[in-house]
């Protein structure tokens, strides 16, 4: 019998303690895409390593390589790969030769194309186990295939190739898991119809990198040192970096669809970010606890905006795409091959700490690292040359998880000697003894405690071992995956047509890709020369003379970014003037999407704003709980209030949620808000009201043909919106018109038609409520960007 023969041979060579121990059952490993690049480079070697490690574990194995290739050519391809398999350097040559020979005998090729092929494979596994008299422990199916093939393969496995009851199934899935949030949700839903979540192991091979995998254990084992300093008071910034010297040549069909953010940042670097920012669970080996802490960390991340990223593309990329994908000579790719992204977390531990995620192709070196740089408050009087690195508090303080390559060319954990001597597991990490003359981040290696793995292992070998042991904490769950895509998708949408900085590649890049943090945003440090493609085209300055009035009121027009900058400046100027005159400033803000970038601008750039003396009111609110993402207050809080110091009692959300119900007239929420305004705002005249305009001409939550709020004595009203959520609370038009100043913000091409219409119509608030805005003793100013004004 084949398996018994194999086991006896291994036993004879001393690999097994006794044949009786082979009792835990049989595992069938099916590698789909067995002739592909990933399988050839890493997966077969990883499976061989698993066999070497577990041959005496009590399990028996067979390995089934599968692909669409016909049987004979497939067998030849597999044999060519298997004969090149290598043992670790510390393995004895004799044992290595025996194990390799047995692994080859236990490995076979199958063409898996149709449902019948899968049924045949299932019968072969059952027949083999029956003949050998072995019980089945489980089956591993490793999907090393493109994601578009997942659903069909999953269907075949589920219907024809599942193990019998009592045996487990583990399905291993390679990235990419979708292209954005929507496609990831769709793929997750499709796979869930065939497999349970506990059966799916989504691979991010970075979780198998020894330095990355050790971040959580390091934090856990060094709690006594890290607890006081692992926070915003002590950490200056964090860098998570993966640089590559290779370009995308030969992979442009993949790269054109994904780009560097989807390929590296959304998965590899984000997982490292989670390990750093998540709260430590009580048990760092519990996959369930780790997932919960990760999800909480995701929820604390501040949303990314277009200005959170700098993007580049190496110069040869366009011609490579044209050549490999047969694109026309004038084809322009907007796919970034370099990205730097600034991320902030709004939880109390990390508030204000910048996390920089950077990756790119065709850069000056191949290296990956996670660097935590601590603040240094010391001043050292003694000359630097006389200082001992272990005791000098003036030297940089940092912890570096060195992923590999670069100057060290090995995974490592480095801790500055002036921080603490870390606790490291003796069996798996050892302190580097010989201190070379290498410098890491400007400091000699002797300034660090340096630890490297006792046994360096390939990431895929680590992950395959974890699949065998059922260690889910090394893999990406569906919730984790969707949280990550939910975070990255808005940025990907906003930069889809953003201009890219071209760079030559390699050392020639010089300082071209250097970037800096400016008021919570990222910008390249060097200005890029700009070539004017059409000298006759009107520039923004030419548009300023088009008109200075709109509907007989002052008009400010510019490109959207400049317009928001001017509007924020004007609001601050009005606030400062009003506070100087009357001691306080009452500002009423509208909801919707347009004000969001204004809120962010005020939060990040206007540090002289008199927030301490400002009262914030809502112009309108949706009838949802204030914690609902649809709530205008929720948006205002996320994008402005949590970043500025407005006194708690100066914030006045609309009372839409009373007595555990929403906008019920009997609860008199409108009367409560009206009374609050009368009590605090002199003459019920706001100092400034900010409004927007809907495509139907509505403003605040006053809609065409509204029964309430367009006229009459009521100051706060309930209204009905034509879109969900239908119920709203709003300031009335008469109350808005009592304001000292009203600013109306109109942005985007989508508002061009209504802007044009409003320029022609008169005072008809029942048709177009915005046309009824006319402060009785104040000023109305329109802020309209060029896209809305000119189309």
């Amino acid at each position: 019998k084949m398996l018994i023969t194999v086991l006896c041979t291994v036993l004879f060579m001393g690999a097994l303690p006794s044949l009786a121990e082979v009792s835990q059952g049989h595992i069938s490993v099916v590698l789909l895409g067995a002739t592909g690049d990933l399988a050839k480079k890493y997966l077969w070697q990883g499976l061989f390593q698993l066999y070497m490690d577990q041959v005496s574990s009590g399990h028996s194995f067979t390995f089934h390589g599968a692909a669409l290739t016909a049987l004979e050519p497939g067998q030849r391809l597999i044999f060519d790969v298997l004969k090149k398999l290598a043992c670790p350097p510390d393995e004895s040559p004799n044992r290595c030769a025996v194990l390799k020979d047995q692994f080859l005998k236990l490995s076979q090729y199958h063409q898996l194309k149709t449902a019948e092929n899968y049924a045949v494979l299932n019968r072969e596994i059952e027949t083999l186990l029956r003949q050998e008299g072995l019980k089945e422990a489980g089956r591993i199916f490793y999907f090393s295939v493109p994601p578009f093939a997942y659903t069909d393969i999953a269907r075949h496995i589920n219907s024809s190739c599942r193990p019998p009851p009592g045996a487990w199934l583990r399905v291993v899935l390679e990235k990419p898991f979708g292209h954005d949030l929507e496609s990831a949700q769709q793929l997750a839903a499709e796979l869930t119809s065939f497999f349970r979540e506990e059966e799916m192991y989504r691979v991010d091979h970075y979780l198998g990198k020894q330095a990355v995998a050790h971040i959580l254990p390091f934090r856990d084992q060094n709690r006594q040192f890290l607890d006081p300093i692992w926070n915003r008071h002590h950490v200056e910034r964090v860098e998570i970096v993966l640089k590559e010297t290779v370009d995308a040549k030969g992979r442009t069909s993949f790269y054109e669809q994904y780009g560097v953010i989807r390929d590296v940042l959304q998965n590899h670097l984000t997982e490292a970010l989670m390990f750093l920012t998540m709260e430590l669970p009580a048990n760092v080996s519990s996959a369930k606890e780790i997932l919960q802490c990760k999800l909480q960390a995701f929820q604390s991340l501040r949303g990314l905006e277009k200005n959170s990223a700098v993007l580049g593309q190496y110069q040869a990329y366009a011609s490579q795409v044209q050549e490999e994908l047969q694109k026309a000579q004038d084809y322009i790719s907007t796919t970034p091959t370099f990205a730097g992204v600034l991320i902030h977390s709004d939880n109390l531990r990390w508030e204000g700490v910048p996390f920089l995620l950077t990756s790119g192709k065709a850069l000056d070196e191949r290296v990956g690292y996670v660097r935590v740089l601590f603040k240094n408050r010391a001043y050292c009087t003694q000359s630097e040359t006389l200082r001992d690195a272990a005791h000098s508090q003036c030297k940089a303080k940092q912890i570096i998880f060195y992923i590999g390559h670069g100057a060290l060319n090995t995974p490592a954990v480095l801790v500055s000697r002036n921080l603490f001597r870390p606790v490291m597991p003796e069996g798996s990490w050892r302190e580097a003894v010989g201190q070379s003359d290498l410098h890491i981040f400007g400091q000699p290696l002797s300034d660090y405690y340096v630890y490297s793995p006792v046994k360096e292992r390939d990431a895929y070998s680590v992950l395959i071992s974890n699949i065998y042991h059922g260690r889910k904490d090394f893999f990406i769950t569906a919730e984790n995956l969707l949280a990550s895509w939910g975070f990255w998708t808005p940025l990907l949408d906003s930069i889809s047509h953003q201009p890219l900085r071209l760079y030559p590649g390699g050392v020639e890049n010089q300082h071209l890709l250097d970037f800096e943090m400016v008021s919570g945003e990222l910008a390249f440090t060097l200005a890029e020369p700009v070539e004017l493609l059409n000298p006759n085209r009107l520039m923004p300055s030419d548009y300023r003379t088009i008109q200075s009035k709109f509907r007989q009121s002052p008009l400010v027009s510019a490109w959207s970014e400049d317009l928001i900058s001017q509007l924020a400046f004007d609001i601050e100027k009005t606030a400062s003037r009003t506070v100087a005159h009357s001691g306080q400033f009452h500002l009423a803000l509208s909801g919707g999407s347009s004000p969001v970038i204004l809120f962010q601008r005020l939060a990040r750039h206007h540090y002289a704003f008199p927030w301490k003396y400002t009262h914030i009111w809502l112009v309108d609110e949706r009838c949802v709980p204030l914690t609902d993402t649809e709530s205008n207050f929720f948006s205002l809080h996320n994008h402005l209030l949590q970043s500025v110091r407005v006194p708690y009692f100066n914030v006045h959300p609309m009372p839409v949620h009373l007595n555990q119900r929403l906008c019920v007239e009997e609860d008199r929420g409108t009367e409560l808000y009206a009374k609050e305004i009368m009590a605090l705002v002199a003459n019920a005249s706001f100092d400034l009201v900010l409004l927007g305009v809907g495509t139907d001409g509505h403003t605040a939550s006053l809609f065409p043909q509204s029964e309430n709020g367009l006229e009459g004595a009521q100051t706060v009203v309930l209204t009905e919106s034509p879109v969900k959520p239908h119920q709203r609370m709003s300031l009335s038009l008469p109350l808005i018109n009592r304001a000292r100043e009203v600013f109306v913000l109109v942005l985007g091409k989508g508002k061009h038609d209504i802007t044009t219409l409003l320029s022609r119509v008169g005072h008809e608030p029942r048709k177009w409520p915005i046309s009824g805005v006319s402060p009785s003793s104040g000023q109305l100013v329109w802020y309209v960007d060029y896209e809305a004004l000119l189309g």
Side-chain angles (χ1 to χ4, degrees), residues 3-20:
L3 285 177
I4 298 298
T5 306
V6 168
L7 293 170
C8 288
T9 308
V10 176
L11 173 63
F12 177 73
M13 290 302 297
L16 280 175
S18 83
L19 193 60

PDB file of all heavy atoms in Angstrom, residues 3-20:
ATOM      1  N   LEU A   3       0.760   4.568   0.985  1.00  0.00           N
ATOM      2  CA  LEU A   3       1.029   5.391   2.159  1.00  0.00           C
ATOM      3  C   LEU A   3       1.805   4.625   3.218  1.00  0.00           C
ATOM      4  O   LEU A   3       2.702   5.167   3.860  1.00  0.00           O
ATOM      5  CB  LEU A   3      -0.271   5.921   2.752  1.00  0.00           C
ATOM      6  CG  LEU A   3      -0.923   7.053   1.974  1.00  0.00           C
ATOM      7  CD1 LEU A   3      -2.238   7.432   2.629  1.00  0.00           C
ATOM      8  CD2 LEU A   3      -0.015   8.265   1.908  1.00  0.00           C
ATOM      9  N   ILE A   4       1.477   3.347   3.418  1.00  0.00           N
ATOM     10  CA  ILE A   4       2.194   2.542   4.416  1.00  0.00           C
ATOM     11  C   ILE A   4       3.654   2.408   4.013  1.00  0.00           C
ATOM     12  O   ILE A   4       4.564   2.524   4.829  1.00  0.00           O
ATOM     13  CB  ILE A   4       1.531   1.144   4.570  1.00  0.00           C
ATOM     14  CG1 ILE A   4       0.089   1.300   5.081  1.00  0.00           C
ATOM     15  CG2 ILE A   4       2.351   0.264   5.501  1.00  0.00           C
ATOM     16  CD1 ILE A   4      -0.018   1.940   6.444  1.00  0.00           C
ATOM     17  N   THR A   5       3.889   2.181   2.705  1.00  0.00           N
ATOM     18  CA  THR A   5       5.266   2.074   2.203  1.00  0.00           C
ATOM     19  C   THR A   5       6.037   3.361   2.486  1.00  0.00           C
ATOM     20  O   THR A   5       7.171   3.333   2.958  1.00  0.00           O
ATOM     21  CB  THR A   5       5.253   1.812   0.675  1.00  0.00           C
ATOM     22  OG1 THR A   5       4.435   0.675   0.436  1.00  0.00           O
ATOM     23  CG2 THR A   5       6.665   1.563   0.167  1.00  0.00           C
ATOM     24  N   VAL A   6       5.400   4.499   2.191  1.00  0.00           N
ATOM     25  CA  VAL A   6       6.040   5.795   2.426  1.00  0.00           C
ATOM     26  C   VAL A   6       6.369   5.961   3.902  1.00  0.00           C
ATOM     27  O   VAL A   6       7.485   6.347   4.274  1.00  0.00           O
ATOM     28  CB  VAL A   6       5.118   6.946   1.947  1.00  0.00           C
ATOM     29  CG1 VAL A   6       5.638   8.286   2.456  1.00  0.00           C
ATOM     30  CG2 VAL A   6       5.028   6.959   0.426  1.00  0.00           C
ATOM     31  N   LEU A   7       5.409   5.649   4.765  1.00  0.00           N
ATOM     32  CA  LEU A   7       5.616   5.824   6.199  1.00  0.00           C
ATOM     33  C   LEU A   7       6.708   4.922   6.734  1.00  0.00           C
ATOM     34  O   LEU A   7       7.509   5.322   7.568  1.00  0.00           O
ATOM     35  CB  LEU A   7       4.306   5.582   6.953  1.00  0.00           C
ATOM     36  CG  LEU A   7       3.210   6.633   6.687  1.00  0.00           C
ATOM     37  CD1 LEU A   7       1.894   6.170   7.285  1.00  0.00           C
ATOM     38  CD2 LEU A   7       3.617   7.973   7.267  1.00  0.00           C
ATOM     39  N   CYS A   8       6.751   3.686   6.235  1.00  0.00           N
ATOM     40  CA  CYS A   8       7.790   2.765   6.691  1.00  0.00           C
ATOM     41  C   CYS A   8       9.171   3.248   6.287  1.00  0.00           C
ATOM     42  O   CYS A   8      10.136   3.129   7.046  1.00  0.00           O
ATOM     43  CB  CYS A   8       7.540   1.363   6.133  1.00  0.00           C
ATOM     44  SG  CYS A   8       6.131   0.545   6.927  1.00  0.00           S
ATOM     45  N   THR A   9       9.271   3.795   5.062  1.00  0.00           N
ATOM     46  CA  THR A   9      10.563   4.312   4.593  1.00  0.00           C
ATOM     47  C   THR A   9      11.029   5.457   5.475  1.00  0.00           C
ATOM     48  O   THR A   9      12.186   5.526   5.891  1.00  0.00           O
ATOM     49  CB  THR A   9      10.451   4.803   3.129  1.00  0.00           C
ATOM     50  OG1 THR A   9       9.875   3.774   2.344  1.00  0.00           O
ATOM     51  CG2 THR A   9      11.814   5.192   2.575  1.00  0.00           C
ATOM     52  N   VAL A  10      10.103   6.379   5.774  1.00  0.00           N
ATOM     53  CA  VAL A  10      10.453   7.523   6.612  1.00  0.00           C
ATOM     54  C   VAL A  10      10.822   7.059   8.021  1.00  0.00           C
ATOM     55  O   VAL A  10      11.763   7.556   8.639  1.00  0.00           O
ATOM     56  CB  VAL A  10       9.289   8.538   6.657  1.00  0.00           C
ATOM     57  CG1 VAL A  10       9.608   9.682   7.604  1.00  0.00           C
ATOM     58  CG2 VAL A  10       9.008   9.081   5.265  1.00  0.00           C
ATOM     59  N   LEU A  11      10.078   6.057   8.511  1.00  0.00           N
ATOM     60  CA  LEU A  11      10.370   5.506   9.835  1.00  0.00           C
ATOM     61  C   LEU A  11      11.775   4.918   9.867  1.00  0.00           C
ATOM     62  O   LEU A  11      12.545   5.142  10.794  1.00  0.00           O
ATOM     63  CB  LEU A  11       9.321   4.438  10.186  1.00  0.00           C
ATOM     64  CG  LEU A  11       9.570   3.625  11.465  1.00  0.00           C
ATOM     65  CD1 LEU A  11       9.542   4.541  12.675  1.00  0.00           C
ATOM     66  CD2 LEU A  11       8.537   2.519  11.599  1.00  0.00           C
ATOM     67  N   PHE A  12      12.126   4.187   8.802  1.00  0.00           N
ATOM     68  CA  PHE A  12      13.443   3.555   8.712  1.00  0.00           C
ATOM     69  C   PHE A  12      14.559   4.600   8.778  1.00  0.00           C
ATOM     70  O   PHE A  12      15.613   4.373   9.361  1.00  0.00           O
ATOM     71  CB  PHE A  12      13.530   2.767   7.404  1.00  0.00           C
ATOM     72  CG  PHE A  12      14.886   2.130   7.192  1.00  0.00           C
ATOM     73  CD1 PHE A  12      15.265   1.019   7.953  1.00  0.00           C
ATOM     74  CD2 PHE A  12      15.788   2.640   6.267  1.00  0.00           C
ATOM     75  CE1 PHE A  12      16.519   0.437   7.765  1.00  0.00           C
ATOM     76  CE2 PHE A  12      17.032   2.070   6.092  1.00  0.00           C
ATOM     77  CZ  PHE A  12      17.403   0.955   6.831  1.00  0.00           C
ATOM     78  N   MET A  13      14.286   5.789   8.192  1.00  0.00           N
ATOM     79  CA  MET A  13      15.296   6.850   8.181  1.00  0.00           C
ATOM     80  C   MET A  13      15.278   7.668   9.482  1.00  0.00           C
ATOM     81  O   MET A  13      15.982   8.651   9.617  1.00  0.00           O
ATOM     82  CB  MET A  13      15.056   7.804   7.008  1.00  0.00           C
ATOM     83  CG  MET A  13      15.339   7.185   5.649  1.00  0.00           C
ATOM     84  SD  MET A  13      17.028   6.586   5.484  1.00  0.00           S
ATOM     85  CE  MET A  13      17.959   8.098   5.651  1.00  0.00           C
ATOM     86  N   GLY A  14      14.414   7.292  10.423  1.00  0.00           N
ATOM     87  CA  GLY A  14      14.412   7.978  11.716  1.00  0.00           C
ATOM     88  C   GLY A  14      13.571   9.230  11.757  1.00  0.00           C
ATOM     89  O   GLY A  14      13.715  10.043  12.656  1.00  0.00           O
ATOM     90  N   ALA A  15      12.671   9.409  10.772  1.00  0.00           N
ATOM     91  CA  ALA A  15      11.849  10.625  10.769  1.00  0.00           C
ATOM     92  C   ALA A  15      10.629  10.468  11.657  1.00  0.00           C
ATOM     93  O   ALA A  15      10.042  11.432  12.088  1.00  0.00           O
ATOM     94  CB  ALA A  15      11.421  10.957   9.350  1.00  0.00           C
ATOM     95  N   LEU A  16      10.215   9.195  11.906  1.00  0.00           N
ATOM     96  CA  LEU A  16       9.038   8.970  12.747  1.00  0.00           C
ATOM     97  C   LEU A  16       9.408   8.168  13.988  1.00  0.00           C
ATOM     98  O   LEU A  16      10.202   7.235  13.905  1.00  0.00           O
ATOM     99  CB  LEU A  16       7.984   8.162  11.966  1.00  0.00           C
ATOM    100  CG  LEU A  16       7.114   8.915  10.965  1.00  0.00           C
ATOM    101  CD1 LEU A  16       6.257   7.928  10.224  1.00  0.00           C
ATOM    102  CD2 LEU A  16       6.263   9.941  11.638  1.00  0.00           C
ATOM    103  N   PRO A  17       8.809   8.514  15.129  1.00  0.00           N
ATOM    104  CA  PRO A  17       9.100   7.745  16.336  1.00  0.00           C
ATOM    105  C   PRO A  17       8.506   6.332  16.298  1.00  0.00           C
ATOM    106  O   PRO A  17       9.129   5.388  16.722  1.00  0.00           O
ATOM    107  CB  PRO A  17       8.477   8.573  17.456  1.00  0.00           C
ATOM    108  CG  PRO A  17       7.519   9.511  16.800  1.00  0.00           C
ATOM    109  CD  PRO A  17       7.969   9.688  15.388  1.00  0.00           C
ATOM    110  N   SER A  18       7.290   6.200  15.817  1.00  0.00           N
ATOM    111  CA  SER A  18       6.709   4.856  15.687  1.00  0.00           C
ATOM    112  C   SER A  18       5.515   4.897  14.755  1.00  0.00           C
ATOM    113  O   SER A  18       4.824   5.895  14.656  1.00  0.00           O
ATOM    114  CB  SER A  18       6.273   4.315  17.055  1.00  0.00           C
ATOM    115  OG  SER A  18       5.007   4.811  17.388  1.00  0.00           O
ATOM    116  N   LEU A  19       5.285   3.794  14.058  1.00  0.00           N
ATOM    117  CA  LEU A  19       4.179   3.729  13.096  1.00  0.00           C
ATOM    118  C   LEU A  19       2.837   3.842  13.799  1.00  0.00           C
ATOM    119  O   LEU A  19       1.870   4.365  13.239  1.00  0.00           O
ATOM    120  CB  LEU A  19       4.269   2.407  12.331  1.00  0.00           C
ATOM    121  CG  LEU A  19       3.402   2.282  11.070  1.00  0.00           C
ATOM    122  CD1 LEU A  19       3.783   3.355  10.067  1.00  0.00           C
ATOM    123  CD2 LEU A  19       3.556   0.903  10.448  1.00  0.00           C
ATOM    124  N   ALA A  20       2.783   3.410  15.053  1.00  0.00           N
ATOM    125  CA  ALA A  20       1.518   3.453  15.800  1.00  0.00           C
ATOM    126  C   ALA A  20       1.007   4.875  15.987  1.00  0.00           C
ATOM    127  O   ALA A  20      -0.174   5.096  16.190  1.00  0.00           O
ATOM    128  CB  ALA A  20       1.700   2.797  17.162  1.00  0.00           C
TER     129      ALA A  20
END
